[in-house]
Amino acid sequence: MQSHDFNKKLIIGTAQFGMNYGINNSNGMVEINEIKKILKYAEENNIIFLDTAISYGTSEHNLGKAGCDNHKIISKINNNLFIDRNIDKEIFKKVKESISLLKHHSLYGILLHNGNDLLGKKGPEIYNSLMHCKEKGLVEKIGISVYESKDAFEIIKSFQIDIIQIPFNILNRDLEFSGLLNKLKEKNIEVHIRSVFLQGLLLMNPQKMPVYFHKWNNIWDGWNNWINKNRINPVEACLKFALEKEEIDKVIVGIDNFKQLQEIIEITKRKYYHSVPDEIWSNDKYLINPCYWE
């Protein structure tokens, strides 16, 4: 696969454009001028997708201010909307607000921030509301964001969606090992993966990791020994591990600054022949799912 093809698979994650986000983010929120530089450079390098959410602070507002007209945008809806009785009205209103903030005509995709909302008693009503947005031309595709494969299996049994966003990285390979990836491809569902760096944890120096993560020192030892032995940059290892899986349609990468984007684009140009050893992975939810981190 050529570097420009890899670039087309990339989605810029914009949580950092509206708030402080990520265990390894020491730069804080990205300034507007920096956002403008990032968007321009991304477009010049065939990266046209952006991932945002209503809950990402001022991310949607800042993207609109910086000018994201030439990008395709995926946003996400929080479940606090579903307390209201008129779910259809609330979702429709929020999607229109996002489009307005982003200064766009429509969204490429709208996802439920918590896909499990579809498994509750209001699930069919929520789904119909998303379909309503699609029918009205506010969004091209609808989908879900989930943490675990088992939840996704349940949801796709009952609902026809276009996109699924799910974690996948060197430590967390549940998407592949569970058989979900093959199932999603059978159903022609776009697979967008996030947490490719595990919120920056896979890029941290083990000595600087919070004490909470020390109980998995055997994994960090294996990971760092492999990187050092092969002289691989950890960013490159994490990124190429995801990008080279043909069944994966898009890879979301959170960007803190312009230099980081430059580094990522440089990495996509390099040839890569390393495969990560099978023993460097975990199914321990207290490690691979940030929701459980202390």
Side-chain angles (χ1 to χ4, degrees):
M1 194 178 275
Q2 299 296 311
S3 63
H4 64 271
D5 293 324
F6 279 143
N7 287 356
K8 283 177 184 172
K9 280 182 89 163
L10 288 171
I11 298 180
I12 292 179
T14 67
Q16 295 91 329
F17 291 9
M19 60 184 192
N20 295 329
Y21 180 82
I23 195 169
N24 201 30
N25 174 13
S26 56
N27 300 308
M29 202 168 95
V30 187
E31 299 287 335
I32 289 287
N33 285 339
E34 190 85 345
I35 294 173
K36 285 180 180 173
K37 273 174 71 181
I38 288 167
L39 295 182
K40 184 173 181 287
Y41 193 65
E43 193 185 337
E44 287 166 1
N45 285 276
N46 295 312
I47 302 170
I48 57 163
F49 280 85
L50 306 173
D51 174 81
T52 187
I54 290 165
S55 63
Y56 289 171
T58 53
S59 173
E60 290 184 336
H61 170 265
N62 291 343
L63 281 169
K65 199 172 171 185
C68 55
D69 323 43
N70 298 326
H71 287 83
K72 295 188 175 187
I73 300 180
I74 296 152
S75 193
K76 296 181 283 295
I77 289 177
N78 272 27
N79 59 2
N80 59 358
L81 295 187
F82 312 143
I83 300 160
D84 194 280
R85 282 181 193 165
N86 194 334
I87 287 171
D88 193 57
K89 185 181 168 188
E90 284 300 308
I91 288 181
F92 199 73
K93 184 176 132 194
K94 278 294 177 190
V95 171
K96 288 204 78 165
E97 273 177 20
S98 289
I99 291 167
S100 173
L101 282 170
L102 291 159
K103 298 180 181 170
H104 255 256
H105 300 297
S106 63
L107 299 176
Y108 177 78
I110 192 75
L111 313 183
L112 294 177
H113 219 139
N114 183 353
N116 287 354
D117 291 327
L118 288 181
L119 299 175
K121 61 182 180 182
K122 292 183 177 178
E125 195 181 345
I126 294 166
Y127 179 76
N128 289 338
S129 301
L130 295 177
M131 285 300 290
H132 183 202
C133 292
K134 192 175 173 180
E135 286 153 11
K136 289 285 184 183
L138 296 181
V139 302
E140 191 179 327
K141 303 193 175 190
I142 62 167
I144 56 169
S145 173
V146 292
Y147 272 103
E148 297 179 12
S149 297
K150 63 181 175 60
D151 300 327
F153 275 116
E154 280 299 304
I155 294 162
I156 62 174
K157 263 190 228 168
S158 308
F159 298 98
Q160 195 176 338
I161 57 170
D162 305 308
I163 299 171
I164 187 164
Q165 193 186 104
I166 191 166
F168 180 75
N169 53 59
I170 281 163
L171 288 191
N172 181 1
R173 308 192 200 179
D174 184 44
L175 169 67
E176 189 175 26
F177 293 165
S178 66
L180 177 63
L181 188 55
N182 290 337
K183 190 74 179 168
L184 294 172
K185 291 291 95 185
E186 280 170 25
K187 287 180 169 278
N188 289 318
I189 296 171
E190 275 185 37
V191 180
H192 296 190
I193 66 153
R194 66 175 188 274
S195 203
V196 70
F197 305 123
L198 195 49
Q199 287 199 14
L201 188 64
L202 283 162
L203 311 181
M204 283 183 94
N205 180 325
Q207 275 80 44
K208 292 183 180 175
M209 279 182 185
V211 175
Y212 172 76
F213 298 103
H214 291 183
K215 63 188 86 145
W216 295 286
N217 275 342
N218 61 324
I219 289 176
W220 306 130
D221 288 346
W223 168 233
N224 285 290
N225 288 341
W226 179 74
I227 284 171
N228 294 333
K229 184 183 165 189
N230 291 285
R231 297 178 182 177
I232 306 167
N233 175 324
V235 174
E236 181 172 6
C238 291
L239 202 52
K240 287 290 182 73
F241 175 76
L243 286 171
E244 290 192 347
K245 292 228 174 288
E246 285 184 19
E247 303 89 342
I248 287 169
D249 298 290
K250 302 287 179 191
V251 176
I252 301 163
V253 182
I255 298 292
D256 292 350
N257 55 65
F258 177 70
K259 190 179 170 198
Q260 213 174 54
L261 179 62
Q262 284 182 308
E263 182 188 354
I264 283 164
I265 288 170
E266 199 50 49
I267 282 168
T268 64
K269 295 174 185 173
R270 296 181 204 147
K271 286 189 166 56
Y272 187 79
Y273 300 110
H274 307 283
S275 58
V276 182
D278 286 340
E279 61 270 19
I280 304 175
W281 72 280
S282 174
N283 58 5
D284 186 342
K285 68 181 181 182
Y286 294 101
L287 171 59
I288 63 175
N289 188 338
C291 291
Y292 294 99
W293 289 356
E294 288 174 11

